[in-house]
């Protein structure tokens, strides 16, 4: 009985995840659950952070300009996604600032880790 | 050097899982915690909705109701942090010991090269116990802190142990000054 419940639970969970993926990638979707939308923003931020970290490390971008570009690109992508792609009313989520803040520090830390590691691996030995 | 940095990432993934696992054993799986968590989340959402609906109204009855609910939420939040606290202390001690062990292993070793020049108040951390004046050399502790910042929180969120936004928002608001309308 318990295992049946568990398996149906995991089935509904996977269905929900699938549904969220679909909603995240189709434009102007309705988001009745605010948490769901903020979660999408959160995970998107993490992915952007890691992707930018990889790019900046491979290029390699160095110095303050790398950090500044990360902040600009990260904020711009989220701003574009929220306003132009999903066209949600930002006031519903506590304003643009709340959305801009969502998961920023974690994404920044993830970005720094990937940037530093890629840079060290690909270009660090040339400097030493 | 690359091996060291990857090893640090691996270490922080392991310690994050270990930390969450220990917290699960000591806190998350207990009935008391689960009950309190559900209660706090339910109350936070209710309070948020109520505030949204009656935020601007000056109706005394609503104000009183909101204040009463805030008080109840505050008590539940305090109980929740008390449940967490004991195990947090235990885990904190264990992790301090682990950290000092790793610190001594990586003592004086440059584990990575920073692609930027750190500002002065970070240099103390990023250049801790390292020889030389090249501040783009990165110490173990700096990379470890960064890894933990990103990995731990993501793991918490993936496993569903992170507190909900409504709860943390209300929890944060409880420690801040009360809004003008409720004064």
């Amino acid at each position: 009985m318990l295992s049946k419940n568990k398996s149906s639970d995991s089935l509904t969970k996977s269905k929900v995840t699938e549904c969220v993926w679909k909603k995240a990638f189709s434009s102007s979707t309705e988001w009745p659950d605010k948490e769901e939308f903020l979660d999408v923003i959160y995970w998107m931020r993490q992915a952007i952070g890691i992707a930018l970290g990889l790019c900046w490390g491979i290029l390699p971008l160095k110095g303050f300009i790398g950090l500044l570009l990360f902040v600009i690109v990260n904020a711009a992508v989220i701003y574009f996604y929220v306003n132009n792609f999903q066209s949600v009313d930002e006031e519903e989520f506590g304003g643009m600032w709340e959305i801009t803040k969502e998961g920023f520090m974690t994404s920044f830390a993830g970005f720094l880790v990937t940037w530093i590691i890629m840079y060290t691996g690909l270009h660090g030995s040339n400097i030493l | 050097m690359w091996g060291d940095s990857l090893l640090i990432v691996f270490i922080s993934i392991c310690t994050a899982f270990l930390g969450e696992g220990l917290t699960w054993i000591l806190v998350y799986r207990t009935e008391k915690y689960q009950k309190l968590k559900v209660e706090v989340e339910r109350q936070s959402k209710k309070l948020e909705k109520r505030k949204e609906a009656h935020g601007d109204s000056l109706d005394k009855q609503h104000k009183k109701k909101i204040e009463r609910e805030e008080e109840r939420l505050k008590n539940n939040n305090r109980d929740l942090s008390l449940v967490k606290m004991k195990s947090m202390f235990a885990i904190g001690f264990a992790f301090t010991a682990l950290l000092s062990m790793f610190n001594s292993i990586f003592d004086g070793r440059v584990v990575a090269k920073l692609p930027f020049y750190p500002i002065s108040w970070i240099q103390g951390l990023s250049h801790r116990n390292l020889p030389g004046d090249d501040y783009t050399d990165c110490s173990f502790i700096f990379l470890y802190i960064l890894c933990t910042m990103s990995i731990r929180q993501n793991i918490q969120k993936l496993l569903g142990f992170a507190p909900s936004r409504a709860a943390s928002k209300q929890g944060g608001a409880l420690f801040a000054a009360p809004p003008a309308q409720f004064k």
Side-chain angles (χ1 to χ4, degrees), chain A residues 25-90:
Chain A
F25 287 110
S26 45
S27 68
S28 307
T29 328
E30 283 283 315
W31 295 93
D33 188 0
K34 285 184 195 174
E35 293 272 315
E36 213 173 69
F37 181 65
L38 288 174
D39 276 347
V40 168
I41 297 280
Y42 179 90
W43 288 114
M44 202 179 204
R45 269 254 157 82
Q46 309 313 310
I48 294 171
I50 290 172
L52 289 183
L54 286 175
C55 292
W56 279 203
I58 292 166
L59 280 174
L61 261 179
K62 278 199 283 185
F64 181 67
I65 192 82
L67 295 169
L68 191 72
L69 264 179
F70 162 76
V71 176
I72 292 172
V73 173
N74 195 320
V77 170
I78 295 298
Y79 187 82
F80 177 79
Y81 180 77
V82 171
N83 276 317
N84 295 41
F85 191 71
Q86 292 289 355
S87 316
V88 295
D89 178 15
E90 60 209 39

Side-chain angles (χ1 to χ4, degrees), chain A residues 34-35 38-39 42-43 46 61-63 102 105-106 109-110 112-113 115-117 119-121 127-128, chain B residues 1-2 5-6 9 52 111-116 142-143 146-147 149-150 153-154 157-158 164-166:
Chain A
K34 285 184 195 174
E35 293 272 315
L38 288 174
D39 276 347
Y42 179 90
W43 288 114
Q46 309 313 310
L61 261 179
K62 278 199 283 185
E102 184 60 40
M105 274 320 282
T106 327
L112 280 180
V113 169
W115 188 24
I116 291 169
I117 288 176
Y119 180 79
T120 307
I127 302 154
L128 282 180
Chain B
M1 197 157 57
W2 208 12
S5 13
L6 291 176
V9 175
E52 266 174 28
V111 296
K113 202 83 190 158
L114 296 176
F116 54 91
F142 185 64
L143 193 61
L146 282 179
C147 287
M149 261 170 80
S150 65
Q153 205 172 338
N154 283 336
K157 221 169 158 59
L158 263 180
S164 83
R165 287 183 189 87

